[in-house]
Amino acid sequence: MNYRRVMVFAAHPDDELVMAPSMAKMASLGVEVVIALMTDGCEGYPDPSMRDSIVELRRREAVAADEIMGTRRISFGIPDMGLTNDKETFLRVLA
């Protein structure tokens, strides 16, 4: 594999996991795999009682997944339903 660095974009926490086998394989071969996570997952709770704790739970899950796969991530922390296709968001991602 000739890649030095790969970036995977995900709109919501756990969207990137469809790529988990490929990301883990690349990381095991020495490729730097970076996940750019756009939103914080605040609306992705399976039970209403989780509403206040879901963002922290998703963050802990992401840390554990990164440790297992050998990846790292950049989280932009935009609230779910708040991701917009505009110049401000574009520039924030580029910074």
Side-chain angles (χ1 to χ4, degrees):
M1 190 166 298
N2 295 326
Y3 302 114
R4 289 191 352 235
R5 182 179 301 133
V6 172
M7 183 169 271
V8 175
F9 287 86
H12 309 99
D14 83 9
D15 286 356
E16 76 281 8
L17 295 181
V18 70
M19 295 278 303
S22 296
M23 291 187 298
K25 177 69 173 181
M26 287 186 279
S28 75
L29 294 173
V31 176
E32 179 185 7
V33 180
V34 180
I35 300 163
L37 181 58
M38 302 307 292
T39 64
D40 66 5
C42 66
E43 296 295 329
Y45 48 89
D47 181 317
S49 69
M50 298 179 74
R51 182 174 181 82
D52 294 333
S53 61
I54 195 66
V55 171
E56 177 58 23
L57 174 63
R58 294 289 185 239
R59 189 197 65 74
R60 289 193 317 265
E61 290 172 341
V63 168
D66 286 341
E67 289 175 6
I68 292 166
M69 293 188 297
T71 57
R72 72 178 179 90
R73 69 187 60 223
I74 300 165
S75 182
F76 293 95
I78 299 168
D80 282 5
M81 311 299 276
L83 183 59
T84 57
N85 183 12
D86 59 16
K87 185 176 181 178
E88 181 181 328
T89 303
F90 179 72
L91 293 174
R92 183 174 176 191
V93 170
L94 290 179

